[in-house]
Amino acid sequence: MYKNKEKEVVMMAHLSFDSSALKKFVHDNELGEMQAMVNAADSQLRNGTGAGADFRDWLHLPSEYDQEEFARIKAAAKKIQADSDFLVTIGIGGSYLGARMAIDFLHNSFYQAQTPEARKAPFVVFAGNSLSSSYLQDLITLIGDHDFSINVISKSGTTTEPSIAFRVFHELLVKKYGEEAANQRIYATTDRARGALKTEADANGWETFVIPDGVGGRYSVLTAVGLLPIAASGADIDQLMAGAAEAEKAYVDPDLSKNEAYQYAAYRNILYRKGYTTELLENYEPNMAMFAEWWKQLAGESEGKDQKGIYPSSANFTTDLHSLGQYIQEGLRNLMETVVKLDTPNHDLDVPGAANDLDGLGYLEGKSIDWVNTQAYKAVVAAHNAGGVPVMTVHIDEENEYTLGYMIYFFEVAMGISGYLNGINPFNQPGVEAYKTNMFGLLGKPGFEEVGDQLRAEMDD
């Protein structure tokens, strides 16, 4: 594990799952009685007999990834580090959330404000994840005259938000460097053989990386989709993949007494069937907020269909205890909590002494602030349990690439099993297209005029 970011990896980090705070909510026999259903879900996942079987290539991605492309990713990252102050990563949903959460997780909490010398790598910024013109202009202003490159990520190349952003930054790149030099600063992560982005990339000689056919967007962080921007930020993607590969080996046996990822999937389904229909993913470290955003897409797109599924939400503690804490403690009793608890922070400080004790903190002088944080976590678990909220905890040793890769795989395999336990296809997202059809109609996209006319008529009524 890393004790801090500068030291070498001296031992392997891992993850542990703690269900001890479920005793009031789940009887001793219930987990064992889920075993037959878990065995069936495991067979669906491992043998490809379940719905969505064509999108299971993430299962063995950590151990069977394309070594040649992996080497090209690292070479491209080094080139970006050598010639760019910014990497503009353009994508939406799974095409940006994985990289964004990893960079937040792995770097200084104020990574964005660090000088290039302190960061020792380009500032990785994100575009194409909204339709805000103010956001785009602010990003253009931030980049200013600095050198930059673009990593555009899209399977099709026609998704509205990233396509608009790419047009904007492509134009800026060409104006700054000229067409030929700009082409050397564009990296396209897209389909292996087809689609608008692949066609344009081949025509202009952009370096391309592959979004595998059998890996959906929310499972794609360990492909080039996430790996290139993560590597460009200065993180160690070898360790990221090593952690995921270790988790791949750890979570094969469907025996619930041995497989903690499957335990998590089983417990959340037991609780869901008892009426706990909303799950809060919580942390006690501010730089894990984007991890929750990645998890929310993973859980929400995997399970929210056929008018069922656990609703994924999140909270950042202790901050949100002063805003959401009242509702969690005494509101509608449909909540379950899963805490990702960091056991060893990258840094720790002691509570300083003071000449007087006007703030009443004398009893904490000399105590570690992380110790205080951990006591707060324990107090919250006890209070929420007493208030009728079941709590599960995923403990991680430290914040480093190995641990993150391990944790990514833990949640990915758990969501696959959880979806099958709930009788749905965990690898499709048919509902995502509904708003797009309406939007295309209102925008006047060819072929959608009738939808637009109908919507406008309804709005006028």
Side-chain angles (χ1 to χ4, degrees), residues 24-25 276 325-335 337 379-391:
K24 283 180 55 179
F25 308 93
Y276 300 99
Q326 173 62 41
Y327 188 95
I328 296 170
Q329 188 70 42
E330 295 184 341
L332 189 65
R333 298 297 77 186
N334 67 336
L335 304 177
E337 297 172 280
V380 170
V381 172
H384 289 183
N385 261 204
V389 183
V391 182

Side-chain angles (χ1 to χ4, degrees), residues 210-327:
V210 174
I211 303 175
D213 288 338
V215 180
R218 59 188 176 274
Y219 285 86
S220 67
V221 62
L222 299 179
T223 71
V225 169
L227 293 177
L228 178 56
I230 293 169
S233 78
D236 186 342
I237 60 173
D238 286 297
Q239 281 297 304
L240 185 72
M241 296 303 283
E246 189 66 22
E248 180 187 339
K249 292 188 291 185
Y251 301 130
V252 172
D253 191 338
D255 186 340
L256 283 170
S257 68
K258 302 174 182 176
N259 191 323
E260 292 187 324
Y262 284 25
Q263 285 178 27
Y264 168 59
Y267 276 125
R268 65 197 300 273
N269 274 271
I270 291 169
L271 292 167
Y272 171 61
R273 291 164 195 177
K274 294 185 177 189
Y276 300 99
T277 56
T278 294
E279 181 177 9
L280 296 170
L281 191 79
E282 299 162 350
N283 64 76
Y284 283 75
E285 297 292 333
N287 67 345
M288 289 189 198
M290 285 306 301
F291 184 86
E293 296 304 307
W294 171 82
W295 173 87
K296 282 192 282 190
Q297 184 194 10
L298 180 68
E301 277 195 349
S302 294
E303 296 195 310
K305 53 203 72 165
D306 299 333
Q307 288 74 57
K308 57 186 176 182
I310 299 166
Y311 181 76
S313 189
S314 62
N316 304 299
F317 289 166
T318 60
T319 306
D320 287 340
L321 291 171
H322 297 262
S323 57
L324 297 176
Q326 173 62 41
Y327 188 95

